[in-house]
Amino acid sequence: MLDLIFSPPAVNQSVVLEYPAEMHIDLAARMRGSGHGRTLIERLVAGLRQRGVPGLHLEVSKTNTNAIAFYEHLGFAELQRAEQSIFMGMKVA
């Protein structure tokens, strides 16, 4: 875990150019499944769209299958894999 904190995987520059906004979200376990995560992301996407931002990306652990399924359900797709994580993106504009 310390290695990931001090040396996180880097996303390819091509991903950043196409999906320049980056998102990180953590919900307390008691809040998951309540719709709050979806609402937060939908509001973020709406704000990015209003500002003409073309895309949004995030990083998720390869082992977090619930989060991966959640992001895919919202329209994110896999862009790149690292040793322990997956970078996912969504077109916004």
Side-chain angles (χ1 to χ4, degrees):
M1 185 57 89
L2 287 176
D3 286 342
L4 282 175
I5 292 170
F6 291 106
S7 300
V11 66
N12 289 336
Q13 189 62 26
S14 61
V15 169
V16 174
L17 290 172
E18 199 167 345
Y19 305 86
E22 182 178 4
M23 180 187 88
H24 181 86
I25 185 171
D26 282 312
L27 289 177
R30 70 181 191 286
M31 299 302 289
R32 294 181 194 138
S34 64
H36 293 297
R38 172 189 291 274
T39 299
L40 286 169
I41 293 170
E42 287 174 347
R43 288 184 181 178
L44 172 62
V45 168
L48 294 171
R49 192 172 284 134
Q50 287 177 342
R51 290 163 181 80
V53 176
L56 168 66
H57 76 275
L58 59 87
E59 179 184 4
V60 62
S61 169
K62 283 182 179 178
T63 62
N64 194 343
T65 56
N66 288 338
I68 292 167
F70 170 70
Y71 294 132
E72 287 174 340
H73 183 73
L74 292 180
F76 285 85
E78 182 177 324
L79 303 173
Q80 175 188 328
R81 285 187 176 246
E83 187 175 325
Q84 297 179 22
S85 60
I86 299 172
F87 291 94
M88 300 181 80
M90 171 196 285
K91 292 290 188 182
V92 176

